[in-house]
């Protein structure tokens, strides 16, 4: 007997109204994705074609690597008129040639567009084709946009992967059904998923993006793809154009999400329920035990999500169903109904959903609700903290390993930490002193300081 997904697809928030806002927004741009993409594809280089602002963003988000050769840089294009564009193209070619001469280890080069008008005037796709002809057989040269006008911060990964899909080698037509896991995952998480899927007998398994540009997965009519990240709309479209087919599933956050995600793969390959249970049960039980210590801290606490990473709906589902948190508003930059089908069905009925942003109006709603914790971008976190509202930086949730069974408790802890820190400092939820902090032990205070630094 096959495993069956026990989720009512017409339940929860499947048909819930969504507040759509198209006003001013406060989000990072898609350049941010370079931080995790360059760690994943280990022989790729990301050359941002941008301004000094772009260079500052990348450098401060990634930190400066002193001992290692960095795998990202910014070619700064100064202000120039249309007549100067030919020079700018020559300059770009010169920068790329110098880079590739100095760094023969680079096997894949992404030219990443940004939003200054002088960069928009440059045709980076033509530059990529032009330079590819020069480096044919040596380096793949691709381009995508990380511009803040076109992308929010996780969409940078989507644009990057979508640009890579046409490069994937075609699978043999006679090949049997294969599974592709799509979305950047830390290596440790990827290994855990591979172990579970292989233990169920799913051997024909590929990850995209790969760890090396020389190990691109093959693709064809027999490829089925399972999304590991909820922000890959363009990548999914590009994969479909190459013949791959989507496997609907919730996202692998928390014990329930991970189980149903693995179950979707198991169903596809006709894995016996008994085998599925045998492979997943020990991890499920272990992860549930690890979650217990966070449940009491988070149960009943209210949470408000500003739109930022597109992880909001799956994370809200995890926090509500597995930890008992109360969802006030769940905002997302974009709502892809097909990819979110299971997630919406699993959200508690009556949850307020919003798509896009009109930041001042949303701040007003948040202030009226006074939630116990808010998930938002860095730009909103400090003002809200100053008003006594606890915040969690959305970017931290993207940078941390949070997928899968082993990481479920770490994910819960990212939220619980705020409340634990306040309790240790003798503060109430609004940051008001309720007991003399001097009565707290030195050990508690020391721990709290380092936790505070990580928020
Ligand atoms: Fe560069 Fe535009 Fe991002 Fe600013 S928003 S860092 S100018 S790409």
């Amino acid at each position: 007997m096959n495993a069956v997904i026990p989720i009512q697809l017409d339940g929860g928030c499947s048909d819930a109204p969504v507040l759509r806002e198209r006003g001013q927004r406060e989000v990072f741009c898609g350049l941010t994705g370079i931080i995790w993409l360059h760690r994943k594809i280990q022989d790729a280089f990301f050359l941002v074609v941008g301004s000094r602002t772009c260079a500052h963003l990348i450098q401060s988000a990634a930190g400066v690597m002193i001992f290692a050769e960095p795998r990202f840089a910014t070619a700064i294009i100064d202000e120039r008129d249309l007549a100067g564009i030919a020079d700018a193209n020559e300059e770009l070619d010169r920068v790329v040639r110098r880079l590739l001469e100095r760094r023969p280890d680079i096997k894949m080069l992404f030219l990443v567009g940004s939003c200054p008008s002088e960069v928009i005037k440059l045709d980076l796709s033509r530059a990529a084709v032009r330079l590819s002809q020069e480096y044919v057989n040596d380096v793949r040269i691709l381009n995508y946009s990380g511009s803040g006008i076109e992308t929010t911060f996780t969409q940078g990964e989507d644009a990057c992967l979508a640009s890579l899909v046409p490069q994937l080698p075609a699978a043999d037509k006679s090949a049997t059904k294969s599974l592709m896991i799509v979305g950047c995952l830390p290596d440790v998480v990827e290994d855990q998923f591979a172990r579970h899927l292989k233990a169920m007998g799913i051997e024909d398994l590929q990850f995209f993006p790969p760890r090396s540009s020389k190990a691109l997965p093959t693709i064809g009519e027999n490829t089925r793809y399972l999304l590991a990240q909820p922000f890959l709309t363009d990548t999914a479209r590009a994969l479909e154009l190459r013949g791959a087919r989507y496997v609907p599933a919730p996202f692998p956050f928390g014990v329930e999400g991970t189980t149903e995600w693995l179950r979707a793969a198991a169903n596809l390959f006709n894995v016996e329920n008994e085998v599925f249970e045998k492979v997943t049960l020990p991890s499920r039980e272990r992860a549930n035990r690890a979650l217990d210590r966070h449940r009491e801290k988070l149960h009943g606490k209210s949470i408000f999500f500003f739109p930022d990473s597109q992880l909001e709906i799956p994370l809200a589902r995890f926090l509500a169903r597995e930890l008992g948190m109360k969802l006030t508003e769940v905002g997302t930059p974009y709502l892809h109904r097909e990819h979110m089908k299971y997630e919406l069905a699993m959200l508690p009925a009556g949850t307020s959903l919003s798509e896009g942003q009109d930041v001042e109006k949303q701040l007003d709603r948040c202030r009226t609700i006074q939630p116990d914790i808010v998930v938002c971008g860095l730009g909103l976190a400090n003002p809200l903290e100053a008003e006594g509202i606890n915040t969690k930086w959305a970017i931290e949730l993207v940078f941390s390993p949070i997928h899968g069974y082993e990481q479920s408790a770490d994910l819960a802890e990212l939220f619980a930490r705020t409340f634990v820190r306040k309790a240790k400092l003798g503060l109430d939820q609004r940051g008001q002193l309720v007991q003399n902090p001097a009565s707290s032990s030195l050990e508690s205070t020391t721990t709290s300081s380092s936790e505070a630094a990580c928020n």
Side-chain angles (χ1 to χ4, degrees), residues 25-61:
R25 53 186 193 155
E26 288 267 348
V27 286
F28 274 127
C29 65
L31 295 190
T32 330
I34 293 172
I35 313 306
W36 61 90
L37 284 162
H38 91 275
R39 287 189 192 130
K40 185 72 208 179
I41 316 173
Q42 287 153 16
D43 54 359
F45 193 99
F46 294 80
L47 183 65
V48 176
V49 184
S51 64
R52 283 175 212 287
T53 315
C54 309
H56 285 307
L57 173 95
I58 288 296
Q59 204 151 40
S60 49

mmCIF file of all heavy atoms in Angstrom, residues 25-61:
data_model
loop_
_atom_site.group_PDB
_atom_site.id
_atom_site.type_symbol
_atom_site.label_atom_id
_atom_site.label_comp_id
_atom_site.label_asym_id
_atom_site.label_seq_id
_atom_site.Cartn_x
_atom_site.Cartn_y
_atom_site.Cartn_z
ATOM 1 N N ARG A 25 7.523 49.446 -0.257
ATOM 2 C CA ARG A 25 7.929 48.209 0.419
ATOM 3 C C ARG A 25 9.324 48.342 0.991
ATOM 4 O O ARG A 25 10.131 49.139 0.529
ATOM 5 C CB ARG A 25 7.831 47.012 -0.533
ATOM 6 C CG ARG A 25 8.575 47.215 -1.821
ATOM 7 C CD ARG A 25 8.370 46.102 -2.810
ATOM 8 N NE ARG A 25 9.359 46.251 -3.867
ATOM 9 C CZ ARG A 25 9.798 45.278 -4.613
ATOM 10 N NH1 ARG A 25 9.344 44.062 -4.448
ATOM 11 N NH2 ARG A 25 10.704 45.497 -5.531
ATOM 12 N N GLU A 26 9.577 47.538 1.995
ATOM 13 C CA GLU A 26 10.850 47.596 2.717
ATOM 14 C C GLU A 26 11.472 46.222 2.657
ATOM 15 O O GLU A 26 11.250 45.387 3.518
ATOM 16 C CB GLU A 26 10.582 47.934 4.197
ATOM 17 C CG GLU A 26 10.160 49.335 4.464
ATOM 18 C CD GLU A 26 11.342 50.240 4.791
ATOM 19 O OE1 GLU A 26 12.439 49.719 5.026
ATOM 20 O OE2 GLU A 26 11.141 51.463 4.765
ATOM 21 N N VAL A 27 12.226 45.933 1.606
ATOM 22 C CA VAL A 27 12.848 44.602 1.490
ATOM 23 C C VAL A 27 14.257 44.751 0.904
ATOM 24 O O VAL A 27 14.565 45.736 0.254
ATOM 25 C CB VAL A 27 12.046 43.644 0.576
ATOM 26 C CG1 VAL A 27 10.795 43.145 1.227
ATOM 27 C CG2 VAL A 27 11.734 44.292 -0.755
ATOM 28 N N PHE A 28 15.074 43.738 1.125
ATOM 29 C CA PHE A 28 16.388 43.700 0.481
ATOM 30 C C PHE A 28 16.224 43.349 -0.988
ATOM 31 O O PHE A 28 15.219 42.755 -1.390
ATOM 32 C CB PHE A 28 17.251 42.611 1.113
ATOM 33 C CG PHE A 28 17.994 43.065 2.327
ATOM 34 C CD1 PHE A 28 17.897 42.364 3.516
ATOM 35 C CD2 PHE A 28 18.819 44.165 2.276
ATOM 36 C CE1 PHE A 28 18.589 42.763 4.636
ATOM 37 C CE2 PHE A 28 19.531 44.576 3.400
ATOM 38 C CZ PHE A 28 19.407 43.870 4.580
ATOM 39 N N CYS A 29 17.255 43.645 -1.786
ATOM 40 C CA CYS A 29 17.196 43.289 -3.206
ATOM 41 C C CYS A 29 17.792 41.890 -3.425
ATOM 42 O O CYS A 29 18.361 41.281 -2.513
ATOM 43 C CB CYS A 29 17.964 44.309 -4.032
ATOM 44 S SG CYS A 29 19.724 44.311 -3.691
ATOM 45 N N GLY A 30 17.670 41.395 -4.651
ATOM 46 C CA GLY A 30 18.093 40.028 -4.988
ATOM 47 C C GLY A 30 19.591 39.791 -4.965
ATOM 48 O O GLY A 30 20.029 38.646 -5.056
ATOM 49 N N LEU A 31 20.389 40.849 -4.827
ATOM 50 C CA LEU A 31 21.844 40.631 -4.737
ATOM 51 C C LEU A 31 22.185 39.799 -3.499
ATOM 52 O O LEU A 31 23.192 39.098 -3.470
ATOM 53 C CB LEU A 31 22.601 41.965 -4.647
ATOM 54 C CG LEU A 31 22.559 42.914 -5.846
ATOM 55 C CD1 LEU A 31 23.554 44.044 -5.639
ATOM 56 C CD2 LEU A 31 22.887 42.187 -7.144
ATOM 57 N N THR A 32 21.332 39.907 -2.480
ATOM 58 C CA THR A 32 21.606 39.220 -1.212
ATOM 59 C C THR A 32 21.786 37.712 -1.402
ATOM 60 O O THR A 32 22.533 37.074 -0.679
ATOM 61 C CB THR A 32 20.453 39.488 -0.208
ATOM 62 O OG1 THR A 32 19.904 40.771 -0.493
ATOM 63 C CG2 THR A 32 20.915 39.429 1.204
ATOM 64 N N GLY A 33 21.089 37.156 -2.384
ATOM 65 C CA GLY A 33 21.159 35.710 -2.639
ATOM 66 C C GLY A 33 22.569 35.226 -2.937
ATOM 67 O O GLY A 33 22.884 34.045 -2.731
ATOM 68 N N ILE A 34 23.425 36.131 -3.403
ATOM 69 C CA ILE A 34 24.805 35.750 -3.727
ATOM 70 C C ILE A 34 25.502 35.176 -2.493
ATOM 71 O O ILE A 34 26.343 34.285 -2.606
ATOM 72 C CB ILE A 34 25.582 36.978 -4.266
ATOM 73 C CG1 ILE A 34 24.990 37.392 -5.615
ATOM 74 C CG2 ILE A 34 27.068 36.708 -4.387
ATOM 75 C CD1 ILE A 34 25.542 38.703 -6.165
ATOM 76 N N ILE A 35 25.085 35.650 -1.320
ATOM 77 C CA ILE A 35 25.746 35.202 -0.086
ATOM 78 C C ILE A 35 25.630 33.691 0.070
ATOM 79 O O ILE A 35 26.587 33.016 0.407
ATOM 80 C CB ILE A 35 25.126 35.886 1.177
ATOM 81 C CG1 ILE A 35 24.958 37.379 0.985
ATOM 82 C CG2 ILE A 35 25.904 35.546 2.434
ATOM 83 C CD1 ILE A 35 26.211 38.102 0.586
ATOM 84 N N TRP A 36 24.430 33.131 -0.158
ATOM 85 C CA TRP A 36 24.321 31.676 0.014
ATOM 86 C C TRP A 36 24.597 30.921 -1.287
ATOM 87 O O TRP A 36 25.068 29.800 -1.255
ATOM 88 C CB TRP A 36 23.003 31.256 0.673
ATOM 89 C CG TRP A 36 21.737 31.599 -0.055
ATOM 90 C CD1 TRP A 36 21.099 30.840 -0.973
ATOM 91 C CD2 TRP A 36 20.920 32.771 0.126
ATOM 92 N NE1 TRP A 36 19.945 31.466 -1.390
ATOM 93 C CE2 TRP A 36 19.802 32.648 -0.730
ATOM 94 C CE3 TRP A 36 21.013 33.897 0.933
ATOM 95 C CZ2 TRP A 36 18.802 33.614 -0.811
ATOM 96 C CZ3 TRP A 36 20.012 34.853 0.847
ATOM 97 C CH2 TRP A 36 18.941 34.714 -0.012
ATOM 98 N N LEU A 37 24.373 31.583 -2.427
ATOM 99 C CA LEU A 37 24.630 30.887 -3.706
ATOM 100 C C LEU A 37 26.127 30.627 -3.904
ATOM 101 O O LEU A 37 26.519 29.561 -4.366
ATOM 102 C CB LEU A 37 24.100 31.728 -4.870
ATOM 103 C CG LEU A 37 22.586 31.700 -5.059
ATOM 104 C CD1 LEU A 37 22.139 32.875 -5.926
ATOM 105 C CD2 LEU A 37 22.130 30.386 -5.687
ATOM 106 N N HIS A 38 26.987 31.577 -3.512
ATOM 107 C CA HIS A 38 28.423 31.359 -3.768
ATOM 108 C C HIS A 38 28.982 30.280 -2.853
ATOM 109 O O HIS A 38 29.951 29.621 -3.164
ATOM 110 C CB HIS A 38 29.214 32.680 -3.665
ATOM 111 C CG HIS A 38 29.749 32.983 -2.306
ATOM 112 N ND1 HIS A 38 29.008 33.604 -1.338
ATOM 113 C CD2 HIS A 38 30.955 32.745 -1.759
ATOM 114 C CE1 HIS A 38 29.752 33.737 -0.251
ATOM 115 N NE2 HIS A 38 30.932 33.222 -0.484
ATOM 116 N N ARG A 39 28.318 30.084 -1.705
ATOM 117 C CA ARG A 39 28.761 29.002 -0.817
ATOM 118 C C ARG A 39 28.346 27.654 -1.375
ATOM 119 O O ARG A 39 28.992 26.645 -1.160
ATOM 120 C CB ARG A 39 28.145 29.169 0.573
ATOM 121 C CG ARG A 39 28.783 30.299 1.312
ATOM 122 C CD ARG A 39 28.333 30.344 2.769
ATOM 123 N NE ARG A 39 28.758 31.591 3.350
ATOM 124 C CZ ARG A 39 27.983 32.414 4.037
ATOM 125 N NH1 ARG A 39 26.728 32.105 4.259
ATOM 126 N NH2 ARG A 39 28.462 33.532 4.521
ATOM 127 N N LYS A 40 27.211 27.643 -2.096
ATOM 128 C CA LYS A 40 26.676 26.369 -2.586
ATOM 129 C C LYS A 40 27.423 25.886 -3.832
ATOM 130 O O LYS A 40 27.887 24.752 -3.889
ATOM 131 C CB LYS A 40 25.176 26.550 -2.902
ATOM 132 C CG LYS A 40 24.467 25.279 -3.295
ATOM 133 C CD LYS A 40 24.299 24.403 -2.101
ATOM 134 C CE LYS A 40 24.255 22.947 -2.439
ATOM 135 N NZ LYS A 40 24.124 22.121 -1.250
ATOM 136 N N ILE A 41 27.494 26.735 -4.849
ATOM 137 C CA ILE A 41 28.155 26.318 -6.101
ATOM 138 C C ILE A 41 29.624 26.729 -5.960
ATOM 139 O O ILE A 41 29.978 27.896 -6.141
ATOM 140 C CB ILE A 41 27.511 26.976 -7.342
ATOM 141 C CG1 ILE A 41 25.986 26.924 -7.255
ATOM 142 C CG2 ILE A 41 27.987 26.283 -8.627
ATOM 143 C CD1 ILE A 41 25.273 27.689 -8.358
ATOM 144 N N GLN A 42 30.456 25.747 -5.626
ATOM 145 C CA GLN A 42 31.772 26.108 -5.102
ATOM 146 C C GLN A 42 32.806 26.536 -6.144
ATOM 147 O O GLN A 42 33.896 26.972 -5.785
ATOM 148 C CB GLN A 42 32.292 24.951 -4.239
ATOM 149 C CG GLN A 42 31.512 24.905 -2.929
ATOM 150 C CD GLN A 42 31.445 23.541 -2.292
ATOM 151 O OE1 GLN A 42 32.218 22.662 -2.645
ATOM 152 N NE2 GLN A 42 30.524 23.356 -1.380
ATOM 153 N N ASP A 43 32.485 26.401 -7.440
ATOM 154 C CA ASP A 43 33.425 26.908 -8.438
ATOM 155 C C ASP A 43 32.784 28.034 -9.263
ATOM 156 O O ASP A 43 33.213 28.312 -10.372
ATOM 157 C CB ASP A 43 33.937 25.786 -9.353
ATOM 158 C CG ASP A 43 32.795 25.019 -9.999
ATOM 159 O OD1 ASP A 43 31.615 25.346 -9.723
ATOM 160 O OD2 ASP A 43 33.065 24.094 -10.780
ATOM 161 N N ALA A 44 31.760 28.662 -8.684
ATOM 162 C CA ALA A 44 31.088 29.773 -9.393
ATOM 163 C C ALA A 44 31.572 31.114 -8.845
ATOM 164 O O ALA A 44 31.993 31.214 -7.688
ATOM 165 C CB ALA A 44 29.579 29.665 -9.219
ATOM 166 N N PHE A 45 31.519 32.112 -9.686
ATOM 167 C CA PHE A 45 31.885 33.470 -9.272
ATOM 168 C C PHE A 45 30.740 34.405 -9.654
ATOM 169 O O PHE A 45 30.154 34.263 -10.735
ATOM 170 C CB PHE A 45 33.177 33.909 -9.982
ATOM 171 C CG PHE A 45 33.793 35.143 -9.380
ATOM 172 C CD1 PHE A 45 34.853 35.041 -8.488
ATOM 173 C CD2 PHE A 45 33.316 36.407 -9.701
ATOM 174 C CE1 PHE A 45 35.429 36.191 -7.924
ATOM 175 C CE2 PHE A 45 33.868 37.549 -9.137
ATOM 176 C CZ PHE A 45 34.933 37.439 -8.247
ATOM 177 N N PHE A 46 30.437 35.349 -8.788
ATOM 178 C CA PHE A 46 29.328 36.288 -9.026
ATOM 179 C C PHE A 46 29.903 37.690 -9.186
ATOM 180 O O PHE A 46 30.465 38.236 -8.232
ATOM 181 C CB PHE A 46 28.339 36.235 -7.860
ATOM 182 C CG PHE A 46 27.643 34.901 -7.757
ATOM 183 C CD1 PHE A 46 28.272 33.820 -7.169
ATOM 184 C CD2 PHE A 46 26.375 34.717 -8.284
ATOM 185 C CE1 PHE A 46 27.653 32.573 -7.105
ATOM 186 C CE2 PHE A 46 25.754 33.485 -8.223
ATOM 187 C CZ PHE A 46 26.390 32.409 -7.637
ATOM 188 N N LEU A 47 29.813 38.208 -10.394
ATOM 189 C CA LEU A 47 30.321 39.561 -10.648
ATOM 190 C C LEU A 47 29.120 40.509 -10.767
ATOM 191 O O LEU A 47 28.391 40.495 -11.767
ATOM 192 C CB LEU A 47 31.147 39.585 -11.938
ATOM 193 C CG LEU A 47 31.774 40.942 -12.258
ATOM 194 C CD1 LEU A 47 32.814 41.335 -11.209
ATOM 195 C CD2 LEU A 47 32.426 40.925 -13.645
ATOM 196 N N VAL A 48 28.915 41.289 -9.718
ATOM 197 C CA VAL A 48 27.815 42.250 -9.734
ATOM 198 C C VAL A 48 28.236 43.421 -10.616
ATOM 199 O O VAL A 48 29.340 43.950 -10.470
ATOM 200 C CB VAL A 48 27.513 42.759 -8.305
ATOM 201 C CG1 VAL A 48 26.433 43.833 -8.326
ATOM 202 C CG2 VAL A 48 27.128 41.610 -7.402
ATOM 203 N N VAL A 49 27.388 43.776 -11.552
ATOM 204 C CA VAL A 49 27.651 44.952 -12.367
ATOM 205 C C VAL A 49 26.769 46.037 -11.768
ATOM 206 O O VAL A 49 25.545 46.025 -11.943
ATOM 207 C CB VAL A 49 27.314 44.683 -13.844
ATOM 208 C CG1 VAL A 49 27.696 45.889 -14.693
ATOM 209 C CG2 VAL A 49 28.047 43.435 -14.324
ATOM 210 N N GLY A 50 27.380 46.909 -10.979
ATOM 211 C CA GLY A 50 26.534 47.821 -10.211
ATOM 212 C C GLY A 50 27.226 49.084 -9.767
ATOM 213 O O GLY A 50 28.178 49.531 -10.382
ATOM 214 N N SER A 51 26.711 49.614 -8.655
ATOM 215 C CA SER A 51 27.207 50.889 -8.133
ATOM 216 C C SER A 51 27.943 50.625 -6.817
ATOM 217 O O SER A 51 28.025 49.489 -6.351
ATOM 218 C CB SER A 51 26.011 51.802 -7.872
ATOM 219 O OG SER A 51 25.220 51.203 -6.863
ATOM 220 N N ARG A 52 28.432 51.714 -6.224
ATOM 221 C CA ARG A 52 29.103 51.554 -4.925
ATOM 222 C C ARG A 52 28.132 51.047 -3.861
ATOM 223 O O ARG A 52 28.509 50.336 -2.949
ATOM 224 C CB ARG A 52 29.689 52.905 -4.491
ATOM 225 C CG ARG A 52 30.947 53.186 -5.247
ATOM 226 C CD ARG A 52 31.548 54.551 -4.972
ATOM 227 N NE ARG A 52 32.214 55.003 -6.191
ATOM 228 C CZ ARG A 52 33.360 54.511 -6.635
ATOM 229 N NH1 ARG A 52 33.981 53.591 -5.961
ATOM 230 N NH2 ARG A 52 33.893 54.933 -7.775
ATOM 231 N N THR A 53 26.849 51.394 -3.990
ATOM 232 C CA THR A 53 25.850 50.913 -3.017
ATOM 233 C C THR A 53 25.785 49.389 -3.063
ATOM 234 O O THR A 53 25.735 48.723 -2.036
ATOM 235 C CB THR A 53 24.446 51.489 -3.372
ATOM 236 O OG1 THR A 53 24.590 52.852 -3.656
ATOM 237 C CG2 THR A 53 23.441 51.242 -2.287
ATOM 238 N N CYS A 54 25.781 48.841 -4.288
ATOM 239 C CA CYS A 54 25.727 47.381 -4.433
ATOM 240 C C CYS A 54 26.957 46.756 -3.781
ATOM 241 O O CYS A 54 26.862 45.750 -3.079
ATOM 242 C CB CYS A 54 25.686 46.969 -5.906
ATOM 243 S SG CYS A 54 24.430 47.809 -6.868
ATOM 244 N N ALA A 55 28.122 47.377 -4.030
ATOM 245 C CA ALA A 55 29.363 46.829 -3.459
ATOM 246 C C ALA A 55 29.286 46.836 -1.935
ATOM 247 O O ALA A 55 29.657 45.856 -1.284
ATOM 248 C CB ALA A 55 30.552 47.651 -3.934
ATOM 249 N N HIS A 56 28.743 47.913 -1.372
ATOM 250 C CA HIS A 56 28.636 47.986 0.094
ATOM 251 C C HIS A 56 27.684 46.927 0.614
ATOM 252 O O HIS A 56 27.964 46.264 1.606
ATOM 253 C CB HIS A 56 28.123 49.367 0.534
ATOM 254 C CG HIS A 56 29.179 50.425 0.428
ATOM 255 N ND1 HIS A 56 30.406 50.290 1.010
ATOM 256 C CD2 HIS A 56 29.190 51.618 -0.194
ATOM 257 C CE1 HIS A 56 31.140 51.362 0.740
ATOM 258 N NE2 HIS A 56 30.422 52.178 0.004
ATOM 259 N N LEU A 57 26.550 46.760 -0.087
ATOM 260 C CA LEU A 57 25.573 45.778 0.377
ATOM 261 C C LEU A 57 26.202 44.391 0.425
ATOM 262 O O LEU A 57 26.140 43.688 1.432
ATOM 263 C CB LEU A 57 24.343 45.735 -0.554
ATOM 264 C CG LEU A 57 23.393 44.603 -0.177
ATOM 265 C CD1 LEU A 57 22.279 45.084 0.724
ATOM 266 C CD2 LEU A 57 22.822 43.905 -1.363
ATOM 267 N N ILE A 58 26.836 43.999 -0.670
ATOM 268 C CA ILE A 58 27.406 42.658 -0.751
ATOM 269 C C ILE A 58 28.503 42.481 0.283
ATOM 270 O O ILE A 58 28.562 41.464 0.970
ATOM 271 C CB ILE A 58 27.976 42.429 -2.174
ATOM 272 C CG1 ILE A 58 26.823 42.264 -3.146
ATOM 273 C CG2 ILE A 58 28.875 41.230 -2.259
ATOM 274 C CD1 ILE A 58 25.999 41.039 -2.853
ATOM 275 N N GLN A 59 29.336 43.491 0.421
ATOM 276 C CA GLN A 59 30.452 43.337 1.331
ATOM 277 C C GLN A 59 29.992 43.286 2.783
ATOM 278 O O GLN A 59 30.476 42.488 3.562
ATOM 279 C CB GLN A 59 31.427 44.480 1.139
ATOM 280 C CG GLN A 59 32.808 44.095 1.597
ATOM 281 C CD GLN A 59 33.863 44.853 0.824
ATOM 282 O OE1 GLN A 59 33.683 46.034 0.553
ATOM 283 N NE2 GLN A 59 34.939 44.203 0.484
ATOM 284 N N SER A 60 29.016 44.118 3.144
ATOM 285 C CA SER A 60 28.612 44.078 4.550
ATOM 286 C C SER A 60 27.749 42.867 4.844
ATOM 287 O O SER A 60 27.815 42.312 5.931
ATOM 288 C CB SER A 60 27.916 45.373 4.967
ATOM 289 O OG SER A 60 26.926 45.691 4.043
ATOM 290 N N ALA A 61 26.980 42.403 3.871
ATOM 291 C CA ALA A 61 26.153 41.209 4.132
ATOM 292 C C ALA A 61 27.029 39.962 4.210
ATOM 293 O O ALA A 61 26.771 39.055 4.995
ATOM 294 C CB ALA A 61 25.102 41.051 3.046
#
